Amino acid sequence: MSKLEITLGRIKLSNPVLGASGCVGHGFELEGYTDLSRYGALSMKTVTLEPRAGNRPPRICEVSDGMLSSIGLQNPGMASYIQHYKDKIKTACRPDQIIISIGGNEVEDYVKSAAAIAENFSPDEIAALEVNAACPNVAHGGGAVGSSPGKLQDVLSAVRKAVDFPIIAKINTNEGNFCEVAKAAQHEGADALYIANTPMGMAIDIRRRKPVLGNVKGPVSGPAVLPQGIAKTWELYKAVSLPIIGSGGIYTWEAAVQYMLAGASAVGIGSAHFVNPNAAVEILDGVEKYMEENHVLDLREIIGAAHAF
Ligand SMILES: Cc1cc2nc3c(=O)[nH]c(=O)nc-3n(C[C@H](O)[C@H](O)[C@H](O)COP(=O)(O)O)c2cc1C
């Protein structure tokens, strides 16, 4: 067993460095910019049952030490996703790297989307299904599901009954009850938690005297949110025993190691890809070097290790 291998519930990954949904396309778009085979896994862009046009532009803007985004889950809908992306995803990524992210408004949407994935990918063709209950950019579903323990439980319970994939519950940590939401995911048998750690923010164009984003507000990504993400991971690690995939502000291997010491079993690399499409591979190299230099033989030695301070 390689010292970088990590198991999250029923999910077995070759290493803990993952590409975060919405920041790595469907994998194949990154070919030619980085070595996809080095990723522990890639969460594909969230797909919903029906097509979504997304939010009013502008949808992204740079801010100090990061970016704002407000995409609004733009995607072509499940039927088109399967038709255009299924084969490309399967060709670009190994089965153990493929995480399909689904979003929805109602329980039924998630169940139908999960069932559509199961019709097109057998359980040994993907690593996991990611239930996106984290998106703060949509009026219904997404973040609304992830901010209510009861709603998240309903979604996870129905999806688990419908399909046989390992399940990752992606929640946001913006609400004060995120530990309760995480406990609900644990109770409902999720294999792992993915935490987005992207608080809402806003920028104003001082010349035009109006908000920069068409949707006015959007989550802040990038190094600016790193300390907050570490703190939320720290709290969550104490609240649940589910493996945590930490994301938010990871642009360097040092940030990834901080997340792991706070309690994350794996890390999701998001907007760093827009600055450096090879960021995840460089972060993985750094984590490996850190382990060598510090005589860490197994990742589990560092996961949550800072709690013993
Ligand atoms: C442009 C953009 C699009 C995103 N789209 C999605 C998405 O479709 N589904 C999802 O679960 N998260 C989405 N996210 C959130 C990321 O997966 C990740 O949780 C977040 O970017 C982590 O913070 P970081 O960018 O600081 O690494 C998106 C983020 C950005 C910046």
Side-chain angles (χ1 to χ4, degrees):
M1 181 171 156
S2 145
K3 64 182 178 185
L4 286 166
E5 278 176 30
I6 189 78
T7 300
L8 315 174
R10 292 172 289 165
I11 308 162
K12 288 189 176 27
L13 302 175
S14 61
N15 74 69
V17 179
L18 318 186
S21 179
C23 302
V24 290
H26 307 87
F28 65 87
E29 296 94 332
L30 277 174
E31 280 177 328
Y33 296 96
T34 187
D35 180 357
L36 276 186
S37 71
R38 303 280 316 280
Y39 282 71
L42 295 96
S43 296
M44 306 299 154
K45 171 73 187 167
T46 300
V47 59
T48 53
L49 199 56
E50 302 300 333
R52 289 183 66 106
N55 289 335
R56 218 160 67 120
R59 293 174 178 175
I60 56 171
C61 92
E62 206 169 328
V63 293
S64 52
D65 238 7
M67 67 181 282
L68 296 174
S69 66
S70 163
I71 311 298
L73 292 186
Q74 180 195 354
N75 77 93
M78 187 57 77
S80 173
Y81 182 87
I82 297 295
Q83 186 188 348
H84 293 106
Y85 298 129
K86 180 179 84 170
D87 292 342
K88 288 182 177 171
I89 291 171
K90 285 185 183 180
T91 306
C93 306
R94 298 187 309 269
D96 63 292
Q97 291 181 302
I98 301 174
I99 299 176
I100 307 275
S101 167
I102 55 169
N105 293 336
E106 309 294 338
V107 173
E108 210 190 0
D109 302 335
Y110 284 96
V111 171
K112 285 185 179 162
S113 288
I117 297 300
E119 277 167 28
N120 289 279
F121 296 85
S122 62
D124 57 2
E125 283 183 316
I126 67 171
L129 200 61
E130 190 170 298
V131 171
N132 180 359
C135 187
N137 282 323
V138 291
H140 305 289
V145 172
S147 57
S148 156
K151 280 187 193 149
L152 182 64
Q153 252 179 283
D154 290 346
V155 169
L156 293 178
S157 155
V159 169
R160 262 169 52 82
K161 281 189 192 117
V163 298
D164 191 23
F165 297 121
I167 291 177
I168 297 170
K170 185 163 182 180
I171 63 170
N172 72 48
T173 49
N174 294 346
E175 303 293 333
N177 68 347
F178 72 94
C179 286
E180 298 312 308
V181 172
K183 284 179 190 164
Q186 177 164 295
H187 182 263
E188 228 30 82
D191 290 84
L193 279 174
Y194 205 129
I195 48 172
N197 285 323
T198 46
M200 294 299 278
M202 162 171 189
I204 294 179
D205 182 328
I206 56 170
R207 289 188 182 77
R208 298 166 75 204
R209 300 183 183 185
K210 57 182 229 178
V212 175
L213 294 179
N215 201 40
V216 182
K217 294 179 192 163
V220 188
S221 282
V225 303
L226 177 66
Q228 193 226 33
I230 301 295
K232 302 280 183 181
T233 305
W234 179 271
E235 283 175 49
L236 205 51
Y237 182 76
K238 289 193 285 184
V240 294
S241 55
L242 268 185
I244 299 166
I245 303 167
S247 72
I250 306 177
Y251 279 43
T252 62
W253 68 263
E254 290 93 335
V257 171
Q258 277 200 64
Y259 263 98
M260 290 191 235
L261 291 170
S265 295
V267 290
I269 314 303
S271 54
H273 284 93
F274 304 139
V275 182
N276 171 13
N278 196 42
V281 169
E282 292 172 17
I283 288 168
L284 176 61
D285 286 341
V287 170
E288 200 168 6
K289 194 156 176 265
Y290 170 85
M291 288 175 73
E292 271 162 29
E293 286 174 359
N294 292 279
H295 313 291
V296 178
L297 300 176
D298 186 318
L299 268 181
R300 285 171 296 186
E301 291 171 36
I302 58 171
I303 295 165
H307 289 263
F309 72 104

